[in-house]
Structures are given as structure tokens and as C-alpha cells.
Amino acid sequence: MKNIAIFASGSGTNAENIGRYFSNSETIKVAVVLSNNRNVGVHDRVNKLGIPSYVFSREEFVQGTPVLAKLAEYNVDFIVLAGFMNKISDTLLKAFPCKIINIHPALLPKHGGKGMFGMHVHEAVVAAKEKESGITIHYVNENYDEGATIFQAKCTVLPTDTPEEVATKVHALEYAHYPHVIEEVLAKH
Ligand code: GAR
């Protein structure tokens, strides 16, 4: 059994979707969810599935030691970011080399980098009059949204689409693909 930790900062619809997908798996378990926010939807969503969740401050994520201790407590082998808005510290990167992946709600290298998260990304896509957007699943390195790409999927952006409509299309791609990609990546580890 491989144990994964999900890091999430917000509503947690991806964390819930991943948790559900692996709930009956004999090879992968979502062991724990870590967040930098207490009052966000992710806790209820995953706790209902029987997955424990914990909150650490930004300083604790940066410093690393308390987070590493919690990951060790749950024998975590692999980390999945799902709407996690803090930077991943060097301490964590060193402890989990090539074992941290992220999903970005656009087609990187476009519309990525510091400050590009959630609706900001979809607003930028609409402002740039893009004809398509999508998802990028990638390894995490020391720079925002720059690690090696593992998988991309695209959706059409119509000239009339609002950022909210783009978000809905992108979320559908996230739910359809992220669990499968996690499964494929872990099969190689
Ligand atoms: C997702 O769309 C994810 O791709 C995005 O945040 C959203 C979280 O939604 N991540 C980023 O923007 C990272 N730069 P959720 O909390 O409902 O899963």
C-alpha cells in the first residue's frame, strides 16, 4: 500500500474526488490531508470520507519539521497538491525528491507562476482571448509551476466564455484525469 498526503488550501473538490477514487483501492490510500487554512471546505469534504486533516501555519510549512513529522506519522510515500497555495519548501522537496506533484488549471507554461491560482488563472485566460485552456499535472520543483510536465488535457474556450465558465470546464478535466494520473505515476515509483 502506498500512502499519499494531499495538500489543499481551499474548497477541496479535487481532494474529495481523489479521496473517493482511492477509497476502495488496495494499492493507494489517501492517508492524510494537510492545509494552511482552518476555515475551508476541504476539511469537511475529506473528513466525511474518513480521511483525517490537519492545519499548519505558513511558517510551519516553510520550516518543514512539524509537517515532516506528521507525514512520517502517516507513513506518507507521496504528496499530491490540489489547490495548495503555499510554496513548497526546500526541506519538503529534499525529503520527497520527485515525489510531489501539482495540478495547475491552465496549459503551462502559459498562465502560471506566482499569484496565478484559482480564478486568477481563468481571468487571465479570458483576458488573453485564448481559444483553449486545460490542465497541467507536473512535478513540483523550487519554482512555481516549473517542474517537468507529466500530463496535459485541453478544453475549448469560446469567445463568449466567462472566467466562471472556463473554470467549470477545467474542473471537469481535473476530476476526470487527476486520480488516473496519480495512479499511473505511483505505479512507476
Ligand atoms: C483547482 O482548480 C486547482 O487546479 C487550482 O486550484 C483549484 C482548487 O480547487 N490550483 C491552482 O491554481 C494552483 N496554482 P479545489 O479546492 O476545489 O480542488
Side-chain angles (χ1 to χ4, degrees):
M1 181 69 85
K2 299 241 173 75
N3 288 317
I4 66 176
I6 298 179
F7 288 13
S9 300
S11 162
T13 62
N14 277 284
E16 179 181 359
N17 182 54
I18 296 163
R20 275 191 204 288
Y21 183 86
F22 291 116
S23 58
N24 294 317
S25 169
E26 287 173 6
T27 54
I28 295 171
K29 177 179 174 186
V30 179
V32 65
V33 168
L34 304 190
S35 180
N36 57 317
N37 286 330
R38 185 165 304 282
N39 298 315
V40 285
V42 68
H43 301 289
D44 270 1
R45 285 182 188 277
V46 301
N47 295 164
K48 274 187 200 142
L49 299 174
I51 302 167
S53 63
Y54 297 89
V55 177
F56 290 94
S57 66
R58 174 186 285 271
E59 292 69 32
E60 287 171 319
F61 272 108
V62 170
Q63 201 271 334
T65 313
V67 173
L68 285 179
K70 186 58 75 184
L71 296 174
E73 188 184 322
Y74 284 90
N75 290 316
V76 168
D77 304 292
F78 198 85
I79 298 172
V80 169
L81 310 186
F84 185 63
M85 306 309 178
N86 271 17
K87 202 160 178 206
I88 295 297
S89 68
D90 287 347
T91 316
L92 268 165
L93 285 170
K94 284 203 186 94
F96 287 85
C98 293
K99 291 180 179 174
I100 309 178
I101 64 172
N102 180 44
I103 190 162
H104 185 77
L107 297 171
L108 291 174
K110 282 185 165 186
H111 309 298
K114 196 169 173 15
M116 288 304 266
F117 57 87
M119 284 307 293
H120 297 297
V121 179
H122 308 305
E123 283 159 8
V125 164
V126 169
K129 302 192 186 337
E130 299 287 2
K131 292 192 168 54
E132 57 184 19
S133 190
I135 59 170
T136 304
I137 298 170
H138 63 93
Y139 285 103
V140 173
N141 69 9
E142 58 285 351
N143 298 317
Y144 276 110
D145 300 330
E146 286 186 14
T149 296
I150 301 165
F151 176 88
Q152 289 187 310
K154 293 178 180 175
C155 59
T156 304
V157 177
L158 302 173
T160 51
D161 276 349
T162 62
E164 288 73 18
E165 285 165 332
V166 177
T168 301
K169 294 179 190 180
V170 169
H171 270 306
L173 291 176
E174 294 184 328
Y175 305 149
H177 294 289
Y178 206 9
H180 295 284
V181 173
I182 293 166
E183 205 165 33
E184 280 167 25
V185 170
L186 274 170
K188 293 182 203 141
H189 270 264

